[in-house]
Amino acid sequence: NTAAAVSNAPDSIAKAGPTKIVCTFTYGPFRGQATGVVDAAGRKSRLDLQMAGIGHVTQISDGSHAYFKFPPGLFQMKKPWIDINLQNPPTTGTLGTTASLAYGGAILMLDELRGATTTDKIGDEQVSGVPTTHYLVTVDLRKVVAASSQAARDSVRLAVDHTIKGQGGSAIAHTNVWIGRDGLIRRQSSFFGVGGSRYGFDITYFGFGKGQSVQPPPRSLVSANPKL
């Protein structure tokens, strides 16, 4: 049925293995395009982003940690990567702004579907030549944490709490999702506005199980507590 197709979709992506993605994003001051991989089972993702006004940025999300690699020369760092611990994130300066981007992305968008309260079928549409069904989903973010596995719950709670705060305290979100006849998500689009700014991602999924494994950068290449 409609509700099951949506709520089961994150598990279908997890079972498929590391999946390739392309996306556009607007996250407050950040906007641009990206390519990458999402490993839903391992709760990891890697995005190679082209950010307007900044250039090429690589982001690796691994549970409660997010690693960023900025263009050379943008910041005065001895090592190319920075590590943002989302359990104790910076709240000011450039790192504080960057931390807000670290909470979003493909993993959280998949998590959102577990908190679906209503699912409306919009119609049958094609995504990259693949027949899909387009749904508009209303999500109660408070339900997402409880619906997550015990192992994932802490990192899910961090992302959900940050999103609710970013939405001015509202736990209700809306997302569009396109699901193929095989149960796999082909596209998801989720945006919301706060204080005149727009936040969200529009992600297309393909190459199911064909993405490269996502690994955090070597600790020897990670800057500890850079002042940005």
Side-chain angles (χ1 to χ4, degrees), residues 140-157:
D140 186 339
L141 292 169
R142 294 166 296 193
K143 295 184 177 182
V144 173
V145 178
S148 301
S149 68
Q150 188 64 46
R153 199 155 293 168
D154 287 345
S155 62
V156 173
R157 183 179 288 107

Side-chain angles (χ1 to χ4, degrees), residues 9-176:
D11 290 332
S12 296
I13 291 288
K15 291 175 182 177
T19 295
K20 298 179 181 180
I21 59 175
V22 295
C23 74
T24 59
F25 62 92
T26 301
Y27 224 74
F30 302 114
R31 62 186 183 280
Q33 298 82 38
T35 60
V37 174
V38 58
D39 176 2
R43 300 194 60 75
K44 300 178 182 180
S45 64
R46 177 186 175 110
L47 290 176
D48 287 295
L49 309 111
Q50 289 295 332
M51 288 188 174
I54 296 177
H56 181 246
V57 176
T58 303
Q59 175 190 345
I60 296 176
S61 295
D62 185 3
S64 61
H65 286 262
Y67 303 89
F68 287 87
K69 184 179 181 182
F70 292 100
L74 184 62
F75 302 115
Q76 299 301 315
M77 298 191 306
K78 294 182 179 179
K79 299 178 180 180
W81 290 88
I82 61 171
D83 174 9
I84 294 179
N85 184 344
L86 300 181
Q87 293 179 321
N88 185 29
T91 57
T92 60
T94 302
L95 277 187
T97 306
T98 303
S100 68
L101 179 64
Y103 286 97
I107 295 296
L108 176 59
M109 287 182 66
L110 291 172
D111 287 337
E112 285 181 357
L113 299 178
R114 302 184 192 280
T117 57
T118 61
T119 302
D120 297 318
K121 180 178 176 180
I122 303 301
D124 295 325
E125 301 173 13
Q126 292 212 352
V127 175
S128 302
V130 177
T132 70
T133 302
H134 176 189
Y135 301 98
L136 174 61
V137 184
T138 300
V139 174
D140 186 339
L141 292 169
R142 294 166 296 193
K143 295 184 177 182
V144 173
V145 178
S148 301
S149 68
Q150 188 64 46
R153 199 155 293 168
D154 287 345
S155 62
V156 173
R157 183 179 288 107
L158 287 171
V160 165
D161 287 349
H162 184 271
T163 302
I164 291 175
K165 181 180 179 181
Q167 294 188 165
S170 174
I172 303 303
H174 303 279
T175 185
N176 287 274

